[in-house]
Amino acid sequence: NYYIEFFENQAIKKGNLLVNPAFEEIPYKDGFGEDGGDEFEFNDDFYDDFEDNKALTKFRKKVKKEDDGLFWLLTPKSKKSLNTQFELGEEVVYIPPKVGIKDNEEVKISSEFGELILKAKIDEGLRKDTIAILMGTKGVNKLTPPTASSEGDNACYGDIKVKISKIN
């Protein structure tokens, strides 16, 4: 209650709305900078030496331009979970439609590090060279290299290509 009252007390009433005192109908209408006369400058310089990625280079392979029959592994979190949660639930692999696998068909997903058996779910939104397995899916770490990220000490999912096989 304290926080709600705190924010309400600093707000300005505009009609039926409460708005932040810094609210501008048209932001930056007078330009950028302290006096408003500066031109917007998009910063395209970046510093990318923050992460020591040498530990990962031994696991990376050169990516071939031609179709090698492998898929990039995407591991998004569930829409139902917060940033610090992983919703354990659906044990599926999302695949693009033209792979030749049917919905609910059991498939083996394998990488050079391990394998996992899941049910397939067709996803029209995926690129033809990608599959997706939600973070928190039991066993997904079997597909990743045995190394941890420099920041956060987490499993490294990026740069992993996997093979999909039907189970007969």
Side-chain angles (χ1 to χ4, degrees):
N1 219 7
Y2 167 80
Y3 292 106
I4 293 172
E5 288 175 13
F6 176 80
F7 288 112
E8 283 179 338
N9 290 336
Q10 70 177 357
I12 298 169
K13 190 152 178 107
K14 276 193 163 186
N16 291 335
L17 301 175
L18 293 174
V19 296
N20 185 310
F23 174 79
E24 296 179 47
E25 211 49 63
I26 303 174
Y28 307 109
K29 70 179 176 192
D30 297 325
F32 297 92
E34 284 186 35
D35 299 327
D38 296 343
E39 190 174 314
F40 176 76
E41 203 173 304
F42 183 79
N43 184 3
D44 59 359
D45 292 338
F46 63 94
Y47 173 68
D48 65 351
D49 292 339
F50 63 89
E51 183 178 339
D52 176 17
N53 61 11
K54 287 184 176 80
L56 298 177
T57 55
K58 67 182 177 182
F59 299 112
R60 292 185 175 145
K61 303 248 184 212
K62 288 188 177 181
V63 179
K64 298 176 186 175
K65 292 202 185 243
E66 69 273 5
D67 181 19
D68 57 7
L70 299 177
F71 298 84
W72 289 108
L73 172 62
L74 305 177
T75 54
K77 65 178 188 59
S78 167
K79 293 178 188 176
K80 300 173 188 170
S81 63
L82 299 173
N83 286 339
T84 57
Q85 294 178 312
F86 300 116
E87 180 89 13
L88 296 175
E90 278 189 293
E91 299 284 322
V92 299
V93 55
Y94 296 91
I95 60 171
K98 296 188 178 176
V99 174
I101 294 172
K102 297 175 184 156
D103 243 3
N104 294 315
E105 191 171 357
E106 274 200 334
V107 293
K108 178 170 71 172
I109 299 94
S110 55
S111 73
E112 61 186 288
F113 309 106
E115 60 186 45
L116 181 61
I117 295 174
L118 295 170
K119 286 195 176 187
K121 192 163 196 132
I122 305 300
D123 188 330
E124 300 277 339
L126 286 172
R127 284 181 6 179
K128 67 180 181 177
D129 63 345
T130 60
I131 66 163
I133 302 173
L134 295 179
M135 275 194 175
T137 299
K138 189 174 180 180
V140 70
N141 285 2
K142 293 178 183 178
L143 303 172
T144 64
T147 188
S149 64
S150 301
E151 297 293 321
D153 199 30
N154 291 306
C156 296
Y157 293 98
D159 293 342
I160 301 298
K161 289 191 102 177
V162 296
K163 180 180 178 182
I164 301 175
S165 309
K166 291 183 183 183
I167 296 178
N168 296 330

